[in-house]
């Protein structure tokens, strides 16, 4: 049985879509959700699915050079739980080097644009959709990529696009992009673990 850990920070809609996709899967199991916020919607979404959640505060994610723990406790938990793949799903904390190295090529992220466009530090959630509209792009979409030390800079594994409408708002564009996320992210995860 392949074991997934999902990292999430907010409402958890992508985490829920992934957990539901693999709920009765014969060879893939969502074993754990890791959250960097003490209060987040992901906890309520995982509870009825029976997926345990673990919170790690800001100090865990801060690099050791800045007085933090550099992800060492998270890495220890992932190894203890025999996690095969770490899946970032709306996770809004910097991933320390201990984790990017400890799970090199075994950590993926989904970004709400067609990278390399609208990526990098500060480009998350509504900021991305606002930037897409400000730039006048005709298409947007999702990028699923490996996580590296460079924010949104890992190897691109999959992209899917949708049109940007003339009357779009950040919210209406986000809705179309979310639909792509819910459909394709579980499929790409399944292919990676096959």
């Amino acid at each position: 049985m392949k074991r997934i850990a999902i990292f999430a920070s907010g409402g958890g809609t992508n985490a829920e879509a992934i957990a539901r996709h693999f709920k009765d899967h014969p060879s893939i199991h969502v074993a754990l959700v890791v959250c960097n916020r003490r209060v987040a919607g992901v906890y309520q979404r995982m509870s009825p699915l029976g997926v345990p959640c673990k919170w790690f505060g800001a100090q865990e994610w801060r690099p050791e050079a800045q007085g933090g723990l550099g992800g060492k406790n998270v890495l220890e938990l992932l190894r203890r739980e025999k996690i095969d793949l770490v899946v970032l799903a709306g996770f809004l904390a910097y991933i320390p080097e201990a984790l990017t190295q400890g799970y090199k090529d075994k950590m993926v992220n989904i970004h709400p644009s067609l990278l390399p466009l609208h990526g990098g530090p500060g480009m998350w959630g509504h900021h991305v959709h606002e930037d897409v509209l400000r730039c006048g792009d005709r298409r947007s979409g999702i990028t699923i990529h490996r996580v590296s030390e460079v924010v949104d800079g890992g190897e691109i594994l999959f992209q899917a696009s949708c049109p940007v409408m003339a009357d779009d708002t950040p919210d209406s564009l986000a809705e179309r992009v979310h639909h792509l996320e819910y459909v394709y992210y579980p499929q790409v995860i399944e292919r990676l673990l096959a």
Side-chain angles (χ1 to χ4, degrees):
M1 182 70 74
K2 298 288 188 178
R3 294 170 61 82
I4 297 171
I6 301 173
F7 285 18
S9 294
T13 55
N14 261 319
E16 181 181 19
I18 294 164
R20 287 193 183 282
H21 182 86
F22 293 111
K23 182 146 181 51
D24 297 313
H25 197 281
S27 61
I28 299 171
H29 173 66
V30 176
L32 174 69
V33 168
V34 171
C35 190
N36 66 317
R37 292 185 176 164
R38 194 179 292 274
V39 177
V42 70
Y43 298 118
Q44 287 75 36
R45 291 182 185 278
M46 292 300 106
S47 181
L49 296 171
V51 178
C53 297
K54 177 75 172 156
W55 169 76
F56 288 94
Q59 186 176 1
E60 180 67 31
W61 307 102
R62 197 174 305 122
E64 289 182 279
Q66 297 174 11
L69 299 172
K72 289 188 175 177
N73 292 325
V74 176
L75 183 58
E76 183 181 301
L77 173 66
L78 297 175
R79 288 180 172 159
R80 190 169 59 244
E81 291 291 327
K82 297 179 173 46
I83 298 300
D84 297 292
L85 184 69
V86 175
V87 174
L88 278 56
F91 190 67
L92 301 178
Y94 174 77
I95 303 294
E97 188 176 346
L99 289 171
T100 59
Q101 289 302 308
Y103 272 80
K104 190 171 180 63
D105 297 329
K106 295 177 184 174
M107 186 180 296
V108 294
N109 183 43
I110 190 162
H111 185 78
S113 76
L114 299 171
L115 291 175
L117 301 174
H118 315 289
M123 282 288 120
W124 55 271
H126 66 92
H127 301 293
V128 174
H129 306 305
E130 289 169 355
D131 201 46
V132 167
L133 295 174
R134 185 172 37 254
C135 291
D137 293 5
R138 293 186 177 187
R139 298 198 72 74
S140 189
I142 61 167
T143 302
I144 299 167
H145 64 92
R146 294 194 193 279
V147 175
S148 70
E149 288 78 20
V150 177
V151 176
D152 297 328
E155 174 195 1
I156 292 174
L157 301 171
F158 177 85
Q159 291 184 310
S161 70
C162 62
V164 176
M165 307 299 189
D167 61 347
D168 261 331
T169 65
D171 287 340
S172 64
L173 179 56
E175 191 175 319
R176 272 196 311 289
V177 170
H178 284 311
H179 177 72
L180 295 174
E181 292 173 349
Y182 305 150
V183 169
Y184 291 110
Y185 206 10
Q187 294 177 19
V188 172
I189 293 165
E190 191 166 10
R191 284 202 301 269
L192 284 171
L193 290 172

